[in-house]
Amino acid sequence: MPIYVVVGRGANAFTDRVSTIFFPSDFEDLLRLIEEKFGTSYPTLLSLFRGQEVEPSKLLDEALDLLQLLKSRADELPRSYFFAVLPKDFEDVASLLGGGASGMVIPGEDRVYKLVGGFGRAELRDDKGNVEKLEEGAELTLGAVRVKVFTRPAYEAAAGPLKTLIVASLIAMKKGAALRVCGVAPDS
């Protein structure tokens, strides 16, 4: 499910898409990684990705700061992993146009597969307890579904969502409203 930012309430609420590829838990993981690696915390962003309403001026400051940190220290951060379903044939190109996601659950004949990606990891798990680490470019056939592993640098993965949050913060400040995100993260 995509992540949306919502400013205000009711008929006059402003809503925009933050991410269709990454889940709130992916952003939480990135914030934990940055705190561990650089000693910098972003409590307002963390609260936002946990579904809480936040004060827009604090979010604006943190989003701008994080954007600059990601840009300046990109080479020190792990790549972000996500998965895309490959088309079965030329007429099924629509499956690629939908983009990808950092996590997927795919039922197979004798087991259920779970693809777990995000910042710094890509794994294939199944309901029998097996775990396999995946590399960028790997192609998997899971039942009738073909999937490919893609990566992006952390800055590229987070820049678009952060810019959306910056704009939403400015709108919230102008409206005098709080903001929150909606989106359900799959279990990791």
Side-chain angles (χ1 to χ4, degrees):
M1 175 178 185
I3 303 172
Y4 290 92
V5 63
V6 180
V7 175
R9 298 199 180 277
N12 293 329
F14 170 82
T15 304
D16 198 1
R17 185 183 69 236
V18 175
S19 179
T20 58
I21 294 177
F22 297 102
F23 300 103
S25 61
D26 295 314
F27 290 102
E28 287 182 49
D29 290 344
L30 175 62
L31 295 173
R32 273 192 295 278
L33 175 72
I34 286 172
E35 186 169 7
E36 290 170 7
K37 196 164 190 68
F38 305 121
T40 305
S41 65
Y42 297 95
T44 303
L45 278 163
L46 192 57
S47 293
L48 180 74
F49 285 116
R50 290 183 173 163
Q52 299 168 12
E53 279 193 353
V54 298
E55 204 274 306
S57 63
K58 291 180 181 177
L59 179 62
L60 178 62
D61 289 342
E62 287 188 16
L64 287 168
D65 188 67
L66 178 57
L67 188 65
Q68 291 175 49
L69 183 139
L70 289 172
K71 182 72 170 172
S72 67
R73 307 204 60 188
D75 57 335
E76 299 174 54
L77 293 166
R79 295 180 69 82
S80 58
Y81 288 82
F82 64 101
F83 311 97
V85 174
L86 297 174
K88 294 176 190 163
D89 54 39
F90 182 74
E91 293 181 11
D92 186 34
V93 194
S95 62
L96 257 185
L97 297 178
S102 64
M104 293 181 180
V105 176
I106 301 171
E109 290 179 21
D110 63 340
R111 65 188 69 188
V112 176
Y113 299 99
K114 187 173 184 179
L115 293 163
V116 180
F119 294 91
R121 71 173 178 193
E123 296 175 346
L124 171 63
R125 302 174 183 173
D126 67 22
D127 57 354
K128 298 183 186 220
N130 299 314
V131 178
E132 178 184 342
K133 296 218 181 287
L134 302 172
E135 299 293 327
E136 177 180 9
E139 287 188 28
L140 310 164
T141 301
L142 307 171
V145 179
R146 285 183 42 223
V147 177
K148 186 165 182 166
V149 180
F150 291 92
T151 67
R152 288 184 180 165
Y155 174 78
E156 285 182 26
L162 287 172
K163 290 173 185 177
T164 300
L165 292 176
I166 289 166
V167 170
S169 296
L170 292 170
I171 291 170
M173 290 167 65
K174 185 174 182 174
K175 287 184 161 197
L179 48 85
R180 66 191 186 286
V181 294
C182 325
V184 178
D187 296 327
S188 296

